[in-house]
Amino acid sequence: MEIFGRPLSAMLSQLLLGLVNGSFYAILSLGLAVIFGLLNVINFAHGALFMLGAVLAWMGLEYLGVNYWVMLFAAPLIVALLGIVIERLFLKRIYKLDHLYGLLLTLGLTLVIEGVLRSFYGVSGLPYSAPEALSGATDLGFMVLPNYRAWVVLASLVVCVGTWYVIERTKLGAYLRAGTENPRLVEAFGVNVPLMVTLTYGFGVALAAFAGVLAAPVIQISPLMGQNLIIVVFAVVVIGGMGSILGSILTGLGLGIIEGFTKVFYPEASSTVVFVIMAIVLLFRPAGLFGKEK
Amino acid sequence: MAVSSSKDVALSIRGLQAWYGESHVLHGVDLDVHSGEVVTLLGRNGAGRTSTLRAILGLTGDRKGSIKIRGYETINLPTYQIAHYGVGYCPEERGIFSSLSCEENLLLPPVLKGMGAGMGLDEIYAMFPNLAERRNSQGTRLSGGEQQMLAVARILRTGANLLLLDEISEGLAPVIVQALAKMIRMLKQKGYTVVMVEQNFRFAAPLADRFYVMEHGRIVEHFAAAQLEDRMPVLKELLGV
Ligand SMILES: Nc1ncnc2c1ncn2[C@@H]1O[C@H](COP(=O)(O)OP(=O)(O)OP(=O)(O)O)[C@@H](O)[C@H]1O
Ligand SMILES: [Mg+2]
C-alpha cells in the first residue's frame, strides 16, 4: 500500500521514529517548563543531565553490572540529588537576577559536566544495548514494530501524563501552580517554598535523566549527546510556549512526528523543519502555541 | 489604653524598621494588638500600612526591630514559618491565583500546625454562598467582590487567629462591603484577632476597638474607639477625611 507515492510501512516506521524522538522532546521540554515556571531559570544544563542519565546507565552496567531496569530508577535519583546540590549551591543565589544569569550559570555547569566526562570517555560512542526483554520486534502485519521503540513511547507517555496529572489535579500541584504565579504569597501562607523549589529542580532534572536512560540503547552515548538534542528541545519550548505543562508535552510529541514525516517526504529538511516552524510561530504567536501573552 | 493589660497580647511590634532594597519605608513602628481585638491601621496613601503588614510576614526586604506573635519573637524567622504562629494574611492585591479554581484557591493555604481547627469548608460556603456556586470557576474569573471574599475566606480555614487584612473593602459595591463588615463582627465574636488596614474610614470606624494612624513609616497617633469623637479633628487633619 502506498500513500502519496510512499510505502505505508515506511511511513509508519518513520512515524514511530518520530514518536520516539517526540517522546524525548516531550519529557525534556516538560522538565524545562516545570523548572522555568517555579525557578524562573532557563536550565541550559538540561541536555548535559540527559546525557548524564545515559552515561550513568552505561556506567552502572560497565562497572557494577547493574542492569537497565535498576538504572532506569537509579540514574534519575542520582541526577536528582546532583540537581538538589546544584540548586542549593548555585541557583538559589541568582533567582532575583535577570534570566540571563541563570542561562549563563547553567551553560557553565553544562560545560563542566560535559568536560569532565569527555576527559574520561572521549567523544566516541559508548555501546549499550536494549534489555533482553525488549529486544527484537513484533510483526503487526502492516508493519514490524521494534519492541524497544514502542517501550520508549509508552514509558514517556506514562511519565508525561503522570506529571501532568500531579501538577494539574492534585494539592501538591496546586502549590506548584500557585508558587509559579506568586511564590511569596504561597510562602506567606506557610508553605516551605524554598524546599519546594529545590525539590522541583531535582524532579525536573530527574526527568531529563530518565529520558537519558530511555535513550541509551537507541542513541550514541557520548558526553556530547545532549548538545544537539537540547537545541531542538529549546526550539520545542519556544514553539509550545514556556511554562505550559500540557503544551510542552503535546508540542514535543507533535514536532517529533512532523520531523518523522519530513524524513519521508523531504529528508533534506528533516533537521531544520523544527526551526522553520519555530520562526513561523514566533512571527504569529510570539508567546508560543500554548503560552499566555504577558 | 482601653484594653486591660491582663489580656493576652496577640501581636507586639517594637521599633520595626523595614526596607525595600535601598529604600527605607518603616522607621520604627510600635504597635500592640490584644487577643480578640479588632485594630485598624489608618493613614494616607504611602504611609506604610501595607508595608507594616508585609514586614510582619517577612515580605519586605531587610527588617529590624522586634515582632512578637503571642509572645514568640518572629523577626528572624523565614516567611514560611511565620504563618504557623497563627497568622493569616489577605494582601491588598488579593492574590487570587489564576491557575487555580475558586475551590483550589480556597483550599490552598495549608492548615497551620499547632493551631486550633479553622472553619470547615461547609461553614465557609454557608457564609459566602457565591463561592460555593462558583467553586469550579477559574479564580480570576470571579467578580472583584467574589475575589475579595475568596481572599478572606481562604485564611479562615487554616486555624489562623491573627488576621492581617489589607484594604478588604476597597473598590467594592456597598452590599459586599456590608457583608464584609458583618463577617468582621462575626469573626470578632468568635474570638479572632484582626488587624485591618483601611482607607475606608466609614467601614472601619464602627468595627474597630482601637485605631493607629501612620505617617511616613511611623505610628503618629493611637486611640481607642471611645475616643474617636474627640480625635476626629486630629484625624481629619492627618487623613484628610
Ligand atoms: N515594592 C516596593 N519597592 C519600593 N518601595 C515601595 C514598595 N512598596 C511600597 N513602597 C514604598 O513604601 C512606602 C509605603 O508604602 P505602603 O504600600 O506601605 O503604603 P500604604 O500605607 O499601604 O499606602 P497605600 O496602600 O494607600 O498606597 C511608599 O512610599 C511606597 O512608595
Ligand atoms: Mg497599602
Side-chain angles (χ1 to χ4, degrees), chain B residues 15 18 38 42 59 67 72 94 96 113 136 151 167 169 227:
Chain B
V38 175
L42 300 168
L59 294 174
I67 301 172
Y72 298 100
R94 295 174 188 149
I96 300 304
K113 296 173 214 138
N136 294 319
E167 306 232 21
S169 71
Q227 297 161 278

Side-chain angles (χ1 to χ4, degrees), chain B residues 49-50 92 166-167 197:
Chain B
R49 298 160 302 154
T50 295
E92 190 170 15
D166 200 343
E167 306 232 21
V197 165

Side-chain angles (χ1 to χ4, degrees), chain A residues 171 175 177 181 184 190-191, chain B residues 58 80 84 98-99 104 107-108:
Chain A
K171 186 71 196 277
Y175 285 144
R177 278 175 283 146
E181 277 186 58
R184 298 296 280 156
V191 178
Chain B
Y80 67 88
H84 292 279
S98 68
S99 54
E104 280 179 319
L107 297 176
L108 184 79

Side-chain angles (χ1 to χ4, degrees), chain B residues 137-164:
Chain B
S137 308
Q138 185 187 351
T140 44
R141 289 275 157 102
L142 271 58
S143 72
E146 288 167 338
Q147 288 192 33
Q148 187 62 70
M149 290 176 197
L150 180 54
V152 181
R154 71 180 165 187
I155 55 174
L156 302 179
R157 254 191 63 256
T158 64
N161 50 23
L162 171 59
L163 308 182
L164 311 178

Side-chain angles (χ1 to χ4, degrees), chain B residues 20 23 25 43-52 92 166-167 197 199:
Chain B
Y20 286 111
S23 98
V25 293
R44 288 176 192 266
N45 287 343
R49 298 160 302 154
T50 295
S51 302
T52 302
E92 190 170 15
D166 200 343
E167 306 232 21
V197 165
Q199 195 80 284

Side-chain angles (χ1 to χ4, degrees), chain B:
Chain B
M1 211 178 277
V3 174
S4 74
S5 54
S6 65
K7 271 203 180 173
D8 303 340
V9 179
L11 174 68
S12 168
I13 298 178
R14 287 290 172 275
L16 176 63
Q17 304 193 54
W19 287 260
Y20 286 111
E22 298 284 293
S23 98
H24 193 175
V25 293
L26 298 183
H27 301 266
V29 172
D30 295 322
L31 187 141
D32 283 292
V33 183
H34 296 86
S35 238
E37 260 190 322
V38 175
V39 165
T40 297
L41 266 182
L42 300 168
R44 288 176 192 266
N45 287 343
R49 298 160 302 154
T50 295
S51 302
T52 302
L53 297 191
R54 291 174 57 87
I56 293 169
L57 287 158
L59 294 174
T60 56
D62 288 343
R63 301 175 296 160
K64 262 193 199 142
S66 162
I67 301 172
K68 286 190 177 153
I69 301 174
R70 287 182 296 122
Y72 298 100
E73 182 59 71
T74 60
I75 188 97
N76 293 316
L77 296 180
T79 295
Y80 67 88
Q81 286 179 7
I82 296 174
H84 292 279
Y85 287 80
V87 186
Y89 174 51
C90 175
E92 190 170 15
E93 66 284 0
R94 295 174 188 149
I96 300 304
F97 297 98
S98 68
S99 54
L100 272 60
S101 69
C102 172
E103 186 156 293
E104 280 179 319
N105 267 286
L106 195 53
L107 297 176
L108 184 79
V111 170
L112 302 174
K113 296 173 214 138
M115 303 305 304
M119 287 187 197
L121 199 56
D122 293 344
E123 213 177 332
I124 286 176
Y125 279 147
M127 190 157 61
F128 303 107
N130 289 33
L131 298 184
E133 234 167 78
R134 309 217 51 190
R135 65 204 322 163
N136 294 319
S137 308
Q138 185 187 351
T140 44
R141 289 275 157 102
L142 271 58
S143 72
E146 288 167 338
Q147 288 192 33
Q148 187 62 70
M149 290 176 197
L150 180 54
V152 181
R154 71 180 165 187
I155 55 174
L156 302 179
R157 254 191 63 256
T158 64
N161 50 23
L162 171 59
L163 308 182
L164 311 178
L165 312 179
D166 200 343
E167 306 232 21
I168 56 168
S169 71
E170 194 192 8
L172 298 180
V175 254
I176 297 174
V177 175
Q178 277 163 24
L180 289 170
K182 196 175 142 200
M183 176 199 73
I184 302 272
R185 282 200 192 88
M186 188 271 311
L187 291 175
K188 192 175 146 92
Q189 233 167 35
K190 291 192 172 217
Y192 282 84
T193 310
V194 180
V195 180
M196 296 194 294
V197 165
E198 271 304 329
Q199 195 80 284
N200 183 347
F201 185 69
R202 296 196 15 223
F203 173 73
L207 297 173
D209 297 308
R210 285 189 304 122
F211 300 85
Y212 281 87
V213 186
M214 290 194 78
E215 205 169 58
H216 304 308
R218 283 188 189 83
I219 302 287
V220 291
E221 261 302 309
H222 104 265
F223 52 87
Q227 297 161 278
L228 186 58
E229 285 291 305
D230 299 345
R231 299 296 178 100
M232 270 323 275
V234 188
L235 265 186
K236 276 199 172 115
E237 193 191 317
L238 283 170
L239 305 176
V241 287

Side-chain angles (χ1 to χ4, degrees), chain A residues 211-233:
Chain A
V213 182
L214 277 184
V218 289
I219 208 172
Q220 284 269 356
I221 303 178
S222 102
L224 302 184
M225 69 189 256
Q227 286 185 353
N228 292 328
L229 191 65
I230 201 64
I231 300 296
V232 181
V233 170

